[in-house]
Structure formats: structure tokens, C-alpha cells
Amino acid sequence: MEIKCKYENVNWKDNPAFSRYTCKITSASITEPKQEIKDIIGKHEADKTDRDVEAVQFDRAEVHYMPRGLNKIFPNLKAIEIKRCGLKEITRDDLVGLENIEKLDLYVNELTSLPDDLLEGMKKLKWISFRENKLEFVSSQLLLPVLGNEMNWVSFRKNPTIDAVYKASEV
């Protein structure tokens, strides 16, 4: 599996305070569950390494299942964004090793359900978006593990039967 990345400092449009050295991935093919990423092809900016990467963005890549192993490549990862990639499924096992992320943004995808235990152990998560998926129902158990995290953003906007968003006043 070949994954190409462009490394750059990114000011995230939806959260201007969230500026991070980012791996922007536009070429990937993850079409089977439980696929582990072992290597990412790209040239870092001067004086930067994989340890400096704090965010990964997949945009319009073929990512039908949550990629595994990102934490092994980027040990200081704080944000994952998968947008317009056709993501069909995510499980708690897909997030093992990513317990330190602050932002999980999975919008404009094909998710139809979310497991109750998805966010267990995500003690630093403050920003979650499942906007514009195909979710029709989400259990009340889903957000319980992150209620004490000083959430800044939780979005289920523009799903078939869910159109809800929470935004902290300072965001």
C-alpha cells in the first residue's frame, strides 16, 4: 500500500487556533478493514521529522476503513481528519494507540453506525465531527467517555435523521 503525503504547517479552517505541522494525504487506498500503515512517502520541511507531525488529513483519498498504525509513524499525533474519502466503518480497535488525539474529524463519508465504545479511553479528545455521514441513530453511550474532556465541538450535522451540533462559547 503506497500512501503519499505533503507535509506542511496548516491552520485548520474550522478551528483557526488549531495550527499544526500536518501530513496531508491525497493518495491512499485503504479498502480492507484492519489495514496497518507501515510507511508514508513524502518530504518533510526543513528541520522536521515524523515526530513533529501533529495532524494527519486524508482528503478525497480512498479510505473505506480507518487506517491503523498512524501512532507508530507519528508518535505525537493530536488530530486526524478523514474527509470525502468514503469511510464506511470505524471501531474502537481502530483508535488503539490514538488515545492522545484532541481532534477526530470524520466528515462527508459513508458511516452508517458508530459503536458505543468508540470513544472509550479518549481522555484528550475535545473536537469530534461526524458531519455529513449516513448516521441515522447514535447511542447515548457514545459520548459518555468524553463528557469530562472540556469539549469544544461535537457535530452530527447533516446526517439523515441527526442534525445536531455542540459548540463551546470560546470556539
Side-chain angles (χ1 to χ4, degrees):
M1 159 182 19
E2 184 173 286
I3 296 179
K4 295 180 183 176
C5 171
K6 180 180 180 189
Y7 294 98
E8 60 185 58
N9 285 305
V10 173
N11 289 321
W12 292 42
K13 292 178 218 163
D14 57 3
N15 186 357
F18 199 86
S19 174
R20 302 284 189 242
Y21 185 56
T22 301
C23 171
K24 295 178 80 173
I25 297 172
T26 55
S27 175
S29 182
I30 302 169
T31 57
E32 298 294 324
K34 302 178 185 177
Q35 283 189 269
E36 186 163 333
I37 296 173
K38 304 248 189 251
D39 190 31
I40 293 179
I41 299 167
K43 185 178 180 192
H44 282 285
E45 292 184 356
D47 301 323
K48 299 282 188 179
T49 69
D50 288 347
R51 295 193 69 75
D52 296 305
V53 174
E54 292 185 314
V56 173
Q57 288 180 325
F58 291 85
D59 187 5
R60 293 183 177 94
E62 190 176 22
V63 181
H64 297 175
Y65 298 91
M66 184 73 181
R68 295 182 179 188
L70 291 171
N71 59 308
K72 294 175 184 170
I73 299 168
F74 306 123
N76 297 310
L77 201 58
K78 290 185 171 67
I80 297 173
E81 181 179 88
I82 300 176
K83 61 183 178 181
R84 296 182 286 267
C85 292
L87 186 68
K88 297 176 184 181
E89 179 180 289
I90 185 170
T91 68
R92 175 66 198 121
D93 288 342
D94 294 328
L95 298 179
V96 169
L98 297 170
E99 290 81 8
N100 287 323
I101 65 169
E102 299 170 8
K103 181 175 184 174
L104 181 62
D105 213 340
L106 308 176
Y107 66 94
V108 191
N109 282 295
E110 304 292 321
L111 294 171
T112 58
S113 65
L114 300 170
D116 290 352
D117 67 345
L118 181 65
L119 304 176
E120 284 182 13
M122 307 299 287
K123 303 283 186 210
K124 296 186 179 181
L125 199 58
K126 296 179 181 176
W127 185 282
I128 308 166
S129 178
F130 296 105
R131 182 175 59 100
E132 293 184 59
N133 276 276
K134 295 183 177 181
L135 298 169
E136 292 192 26
F137 171 80
V138 176
S139 168
S140 60
Q141 302 297 307
L142 178 70
L143 297 175
L144 285 179
V146 296
L147 287 180
N149 288 13
E150 299 178 26
M151 299 302 293
N152 290 325
W153 184 267
V154 179
S155 179
F156 291 96
R157 297 287 318 262
K158 298 184 180 180
N159 280 279
T161 59
I162 307 169
D163 191 17
V165 67
Y166 165 79
K167 176 182 171 184
S169 59
E170 66 273 359
V171 173

